[in-house]
Amino acid sequence: MIVATAGHVDHGKTTLVRALTGVDTDRLPEEKARGMSIDIGFAYADLGGAQLVGFVDVPGHERFLRNMLAGVAAIDFALLVVAADDGVMPQTREHLAVLDLLGIRLGAVALTKADRVDASRIAGVTRELHALLAPTCLRDAPSFPLSSTTGVGIDALRRHLGAAQQGRAARSRDGNFRLAIDRSFSVAGAGLVVTGAVLSGSVQEGDALLLSPAGVSVRVRGIHAQDRPVASAGAGMRCALNLAGDLKRVDVSRGDWVVAAAAHAPVSRIDVRLRLLADADRPLAHWAPVQVHLGAASLSANVVLLQDRTLAPGAQAYAQLALERPALAMHGDRFVLRSQSGQRVIGGGVVIDTTAAGRRIARPLRLARLSALDRGEVGKALAALLEVETAGIVLDEFVLARNLSEPQAASLRQSVEMQVVTVGGSTHAMHSRGWRSLQDRALALVEAWHAQHPDSLGIAESLVLGQLRGEALAPLARAAVRALLEQGALVRDGLLLRLPGHRAELAEQDGALLAQVVALLQPAGLRPPIVGELAAALAMERAALMAFLERIGRLGYLEQIASNRYFLPQTVTALAAIALSLAQESAHGEFDAASYRNRSGIGRNLTVEVLEYLDRAGYTRYANGRRRMAQ
Ligand SMILES: Nc1nc2c(ncn2[C@@H]2O[C@H](COP(=O)(O)OP(=O)(O)OP(=O)(O)O)[C@@H](O)[C@H]2O)c(=O)[nH]1
Ligand SMILES: [Mg+2]
């Protein structure tokens, strides 16, 4: 468990932490000289639980609010410190607002300096605090009148903290590891050490992680968790990690992260639910400049209001944060906003979506997405998102944004009514209803083609996929066609799709001439004769034969490879299969023209024509002298 102090300057936070733990968290010479905390300090105490309780002592002075915010980013328990003589002061309110924006429900009030006042004053301040806490997440926090100088009341608070630690359910270690760095330093002989709170997941000695957002690979040489050397640690602990790696040119500082590789996804726009504090001076305007505190990071940003033109004090709305530089954020992360002019806390909220914020999406769809994703229960959120995103979603993005573990993702796949399609390592999903209508639509397209072109063998697959593109993400559209082929609801002939019952009806003369052409093409295998040779063999005018081939080609009986070459559909299929097997055999899924020529044996010139045709037909993709399969 991690406990953080909060409260007005000089109200006795540091003295109380020392009374509870024996540790003076004011370590900087300047802090000692001024008798005032400047940066966050750390201490640990054994309160009878399996682990030590970690304390983060924050500075109360308004000038060091930024440090306070870095300290409370990932705490479990808030210890609001109020001096009984002073009572509620500005930073009492401001720190309480921060704790409320962060959604911290577990906490207690320490009424310090009780030795300086009488019982009626204690009762008065307690009443005032009760009213102050009532509208916040901390409304149930009990008060402990105490004196850190005489020691009266300290034991009662210590017992309460111990009981809170034991009564608290252990945090889940599911999901990717994320540690928000609040300090970083070099230790002679050991190298780089970073400390911070673990927001999610777990870490073991030897793990390969990334410094983020820089994206530098590191390895974990050693771990201290809650002040003790350990082999592994997880969410809800403060950790010090000794990191190895190529760190000479990296500048690691507060606000950076150490994360599992999968969680390294910096974004410069985040969609959020934002609340402006009721006591904010003025409404928040569109594009207002703000300071965003996220994890231990602090960044400049502008607020893009997605609903009304302004946000009134006390109101809540969906908005987008346009960050000055890329940062890490995940669904459910809390943030606090300060005004850039006054430096006051003005609001904060919850990260809802990091996956679509950078994309251009019409505002109504964005808002619909946000209210879908804003549902707490993950299955409900996914189901609602699939209703909104009728063309389907990249399921991997959803799983990552929620930081779900593999078993959690698997059970999600079971519980939500959707079609999941995995191609080439990425997973897409679509509502089951949408999946069925996508298939119906594909069938309807083929049927309509047959009705309009009774003499055509079928419709080009690329044409069907092109028509489906507006209704489904490309991998889902391709999968829908593939499913219909597997079910036998569609048949593929070369590059064409047709219904199994469809029989093309050619005029008698055309049928006879086609049979003669097929008889010449078939025995030639992968190197069929060119149009001039066919015309000579058939004793026909080249122009007349050309006109016939063009017409019959459009109907799908033959495929035009180059200006003077028509191939049988099955020849095209065989040529494409050679490309596929070359790509599959190579380590990087690529091949060059020379290896295609060797494998096919069709000679250099024809190889060029065939490969260019395969590019055009959408089978292969050319880049830098090599080709890979397009799908
Ligand atoms: N009489 C009395 N004095 C106290 C008590 N607690 C703290 N003090 C005194 O109050 C002064 C401020 O205490 P700190 O613990 O430094 O206050 P703080 O909240 O940490 O201050 P910042 O970190 O600067 O916000 C010190 O002189 C303490 O000795 C108490 O319970 N009784
Ligand atoms: Mg202090």
Side-chain angles (χ1 to χ4, degrees):
M1 182 166 88
I2 307 175
V3 178
T5 59
H8 199 71
V9 63
D10 252 2
H11 275 202
K13 296 178 288 298
T14 304
T15 313
L16 176 60
V17 170
R18 194 174 53 212
L20 288 165
T21 66
V23 176
D24 181 3
T25 51
D26 280 350
R27 289 163 177 274
L28 302 173
E30 200 187 342
E31 290 177 322
K32 297 244 190 264
R34 293 168 69 176
M36 174 195 269
S37 304
I38 292 171
D39 205 353
I40 41 181
F42 306 98
Y44 296 88
D46 183 352
L47 299 183
Q51 283 166 9
L52 299 183
V53 173
F55 288 84
V56 181
D57 180 37
V58 311
H61 196 286
E62 56 179 327
R63 271 186 44 215
F64 309 126
L65 183 65
R66 182 193 174 112
N67 295 339
M68 181 272 177
L69 288 164
V72 293
I75 61 166
D76 307 292
F77 191 105
L79 190 53
L80 183 64
V81 175
V82 183
D85 51 355
D86 265 4
V88 172
M89 295 294 278
Q91 269 61 54
T92 316
R93 293 176 191 279
E94 187 164 44
H95 286 194
L96 179 62
V98 166
L99 299 170
D100 189 39
L101 289 167
L102 295 176
I104 293 156
R105 294 173 187 286
L106 209 52
V109 177
L111 266 183
T112 55
K113 312 195 186 183
D115 53 292
R116 289 195 183 163
V117 298
D118 60 18
S120 70
R121 170 70 184 162
I122 301 250
V125 179
T126 307
R127 265 198 309 280
E128 192 186 357
L129 277 164
H130 195 74
L132 196 66
L133 293 176
T136 73
C137 295
L138 287 168
R139 64 187 70 89
D140 296 327
S143 288
F144 294 85
L146 53 85
S147 167
S148 306
T149 11
T150 68
V152 170
I154 296 289
D155 274 345
L157 177 59
R158 189 184 282 120
R159 276 198 302 279
H160 180 76
L161 290 171
Q165 181 191 24
Q166 278 167 27
R168 197 180 59 103
R171 276 215 215 171
S172 147
R173 290 189 173 193
D174 284 332
N176 293 303
F177 178 73
R178 293 195 301 155
L179 178 144
I181 298 176
D182 50 37
R183 279 184 307 169
S184 130
F185 43 85
S186 291
V187 174
L192 180 69
V193 174
V194 298
T195 72
V198 182
L199 267 75
S200 60
S202 63
V203 61
Q204 337 286 329
E205 241 172 44
D207 275 359
L209 299 172
L210 283 180
L211 279 170
S212 192
V216 175
S217 301
V218 291
R219 202 174 48 75
V220 178
R221 285 162 77 173
I223 308 171
H224 271 66
Q226 305 291 92
D227 215 26
R228 286 175 178 165
V230 288
S232 77
M237 292 178 163
R238 280 197 55 80
C239 279
L241 301 182
N242 179 201
L243 301 176
D246 188 10
L247 298 166
K248 279 188 204 73
R249 261 167 296 149
V250 241
D251 180 21
V252 186
S253 58
R254 177 174 294 173
D256 289 337
W257 297 80
V258 190
V259 297
H264 168 67
V267 286
S268 39
R269 287 199 169 223
I270 19 184
D271 287 346
V272 300
R273 174 156 44 76
L274 172 64
R275 173 156 67 90
L276 194 61
L277 291 180
D279 58 8
D281 302 343
R282 61 177 82 94
L284 193 69
H286 184 69
W287 205 248
V290 291
Q291 196 69 19
V292 182
H293 297 266
L294 194 62
S298 162
L299 312 104
S300 298
N302 293 90
V303 179
V304 178
L305 292 175
L306 296 171
Q307 291 177 277
D308 296 321
R309 295 183 66 84
T310 60
L311 183 63
Q316 175 165 281
Y318 292 122
Q320 190 170 86
L321 300 178
L323 306 173
E324 57 171 335
R325 59 190 147 87
L328 287 206
M330 277 192 179
H331 172 87
D333 286 353
R334 300 276 183 154
F335 64 92
V336 172
L337 292 186
R338 282 193 304 149
S339 65
Q340 253 177 2
S341 45
Q343 297 291 303
R344 301 260 55 85
V345 170
I346 55 167
V350 192
V351 173
I352 306 291
D353 191 11
T354 53
T355 60
R359 262 182 253 154
R360 286 200 167 274
I361 306 182
R363 189 166 293 196
L365 175 60
R366 187 177 293 284
L367 287 171
R369 276 183 63 93
L370 287 171
S371 70
L373 288 167
D374 200 4
R375 295 171 191 228
E377 205 268 305
V378 61
K380 290 211 173 83
L382 178 56
L385 181 65
L386 291 170
E387 294 279 356
V388 172
E389 294 278 20
T390 52
I393 60 162
V394 184
L395 189 59
D396 304 318
E397 284 181 353
F398 181 89
V399 166
L400 179 61
R402 299 252 163 180
N403 209 10
L404 302 181
S405 65
E406 200 31 65
Q408 285 173 318
S411 85
L412 192 62
R413 268 177 228 146
Q414 297 297 311
S415 64
V416 177
E417 215 194 306
M418 61 180 174
Q419 178 68 33
V420 176
V421 168
T422 302
V423 191
S426 83
T427 302
H428 292 71
M430 182 178 228
H431 196 290
S432 306
R433 192 183 336 106
W435 173 251
R436 284 192 295 274
S437 66
L438 185 62
Q439 294 185 328
D440 290 348
R441 176 99 172 92
L443 284 176
L445 285 168
V446 179
E447 234 169 67
W449 180 271
H450 288 330
Q452 282 162 24
H453 311 274
D455 51 358
S456 155
L457 276 184
I459 177 171
E461 185 174 4
S462 56
L463 205 56
V464 173
L465 292 175
Q467 302 251 22
L468 295 181
R469 200 132 299 165
E471 293 163 47
L473 298 180
L476 289 161
R478 282 195 293 270
V481 168
R482 204 162 45 237
L484 290 168
L485 289 167
E486 278 161 16
Q487 293 157 27
L490 285 181
V491 175
R492 196 201 313 260
D493 261 335
L495 300 179
L496 302 178
L497 298 175
R498 65 173 171 84
L499 296 176
H502 174 72
R503 295 280 170 270
E505 286 171 16
L506 277 186
E508 210 173 304
Q509 270 186 332
D510 284 350
L513 181 52
L514 177 62
Q516 286 180 285
V517 172
V518 170
L520 290 167
L521 294 177
Q522 217 149 29
L526 297 180
R527 302 189 61 174
I530 57 173
V531 174
E533 291 166 344
L534 288 174
L538 294 167
M540 266 181 88
E541 285 278 331
R542 188 178 182 281
L545 179 61
M546 199 65 168
F548 170 76
L549 291 174
E550 263 171 31
R551 189 156 53 78
I552 215 82
R554 274 198 298 277
L555 297 177
Y557 293 87
L558 298 172
E559 195 58 40
Q560 186 176 21
I561 301 295
S563 60
N564 63 345
R565 283 189 195 278
Y566 281 83
F567 284 13
L568 293 169
Q570 60 264 36
T571 310
V572 174
T573 310
L575 290 165
I578 294 174
L580 179 62
S581 58
L582 285 169
Q584 283 173 343
E585 287 162 25
S586 89
H588 301 290
E590 292 179 336
F591 64 91
D592 61 10
S595 53
Y596 191 90
R597 188 189 62 212
N598 291 340
R599 179 67 60 88
S600 62
I602 59 174
R604 182 186 310 177
N605 293 346
L606 188 51
T607 290
V608 171
E609 288 183 349
V610 164
L611 289 177
E612 284 177 355
Y613 164 79
L614 291 176
D615 292 343
R616 278 198 308 280
Y619 270 106
T620 50
R621 194 174 298 146
Y622 175 82
N624 305 324
R626 308 186 68 79
R627 281 184 171 77
R628 52 174 56 252
M629 302 312 285
Q631 297 165 16

